[in-house]
Amino acid sequence: MTTPVTSPATPRSRTSIFFSYIRHELWRNLRMVDSLIFLIALPLVIFAVFGVASPGTDKHIPGGTIAAYVMVSLALYGAATAATSMAGAAAVEHDSGWGRHLALTGMRRGDYLAGKIIVSLLIACLPIGATFLLGILTTAQFDTPGIWLASAGLCLVGVFPFAFFGLAVALALRSETAVSIASGVVVLLAFLGNLFMPLSGAMMEMARYTPFYGAGVLAHWPQNGEVIITGAFATPGMSEILPTESFAWAIGNVVVWTLIFAALAFLALRRS
């Protein structure tokens, strides 16, 4: 009686390994409830204070109310912070040797980098959805229903540079403090990018070249179009001459900063 010959197990393809890694990472991050609560609660609390409880936020501006404008700004900030933090967790993984274990599965550096970015963007959807839900339940109003979906989608587009930014900082510093440093820089960039408070003059001109500026213009485009809310908006009689910005400049800003941070992340990954 002859024994049947069995063929050796077929190695898993890179595509299968890649998507398995994404599922593992997504589920692992979703189980980190304490971190998720902070990432979601942060924009909600700020929006509740400055977008809901503050007087005058029901005033109408192009496309909707001031509360809706604040809601979009904080949704973008919360999503950027979430993406930065999630991607920045790569520092801890590299210190623990997780990267070497992944290399044994056949994953390449590019697969690892792409997987981290995808998971970061998926997690970034949570603060966007939570902030928009609070806006729906409170004082945020848009002129048309389509503005809600368009604004949420463009918030996610604007997050791309910050996912690469968090990864670049984490891989460059390779320490547990990298996430805190990257998140702190995100707050500073949000101020400089005309996201938290309307800027004017030289500060506004400088803001046009910062990472958050293009993302903010894109996120607010469904509501405001080419009109940019600056410090002149709060000045009586000046709201009629608010500056405008082209959609092409906003897209270019996001693309350029995404490429810059992606290049830095790849260089840091190669060095590690």
Side-chain angles (χ1 to χ4, degrees), residues 127-173:
I128 295 176
T131 308
F132 271 59
L133 178 60
L134 180 59
I136 292 173
L137 298 175
T138 54
T139 57
Q141 295 180 2
F142 287 124
D143 288 350
T144 61
I147 297 179
W148 288 94
L149 293 176
S151 298
L154 289 174
C155 278
L156 189 59
V157 172
V159 168
F160 273 85
F162 301 98
F164 285 106
F165 170 72
L167 193 58
V169 173
L171 293 174
L173 299 181

Side-chain angles (χ1 to χ4, degrees), residues 53-65:
S54 296
T57 53
D58 58 343
K59 180 181 178 181
H60 196 275
I61 58 176
T65 59

Side-chain angles (χ1 to χ4, degrees), residues 26-61:
L26 182 60
W27 178 239
R28 184 176 68 85
N29 283 287
L30 289 176
R31 287 186 299 174
M32 299 168 60
V33 180
D34 51 345
S35 299
L36 288 180
I37 290 177
F38 174 77
L39 293 174
I40 295 174
L42 179 61
L44 289 180
V45 171
I46 301 176
F47 174 55
V49 173
F50 295 101
V52 178
S54 296
T57 53
D58 58 343
K59 180 181 178 181
H60 196 275
I61 58 176

Side-chain angles (χ1 to χ4, degrees), residues 129-267:
T131 308
F132 271 59
L133 178 60
L134 180 59
I136 292 173
L137 298 175
T138 54
T139 57
Q141 295 180 2
F142 287 124
D143 288 350
T144 61
I147 297 179
W148 288 94
L149 293 176
S151 298
L154 289 174
C155 278
L156 189 59
V157 172
V159 168
F160 273 85
F162 301 98
F164 285 106
F165 170 72
L167 193 58
V169 173
L171 293 174
L173 299 181
R174 289 189 291 174
S175 68
E176 294 187 1
T177 61
V179 176
S180 300
I181 293 173
S183 299
V185 174
V186 167
V187 176
L188 178 61
L189 292 176
F191 274 107
L192 295 177
N194 196 46
L195 196 67
F196 283 164
M197 58 181 295
L199 303 176
S200 58
M203 288 293 293
M204 184 61 196
E205 185 59 30
M206 181 180 67
R208 297 181 72 240
Y209 302 95
T210 61
F212 255 116
Y213 181 79
V217 172
L218 287 182
H220 290 114
W221 190 270
Q223 178 183 5
N224 302 132
E226 61 183 11
V227 175
I228 304 299
I229 304 299
T230 67
F233 181 79
T235 304
M238 294 293 289
S239 58
E240 294 85 4
I241 56 173
L242 288 175
T244 60
E245 186 63 86
S246 69
F247 192 78
W249 178 273
I251 288 290
N253 179 282
V254 172
V255 170
V256 168
W257 280 109
T258 299
L259 292 176
I260 291 174
F261 291 143
L264 292 175
F266 271 109
L267 290 175

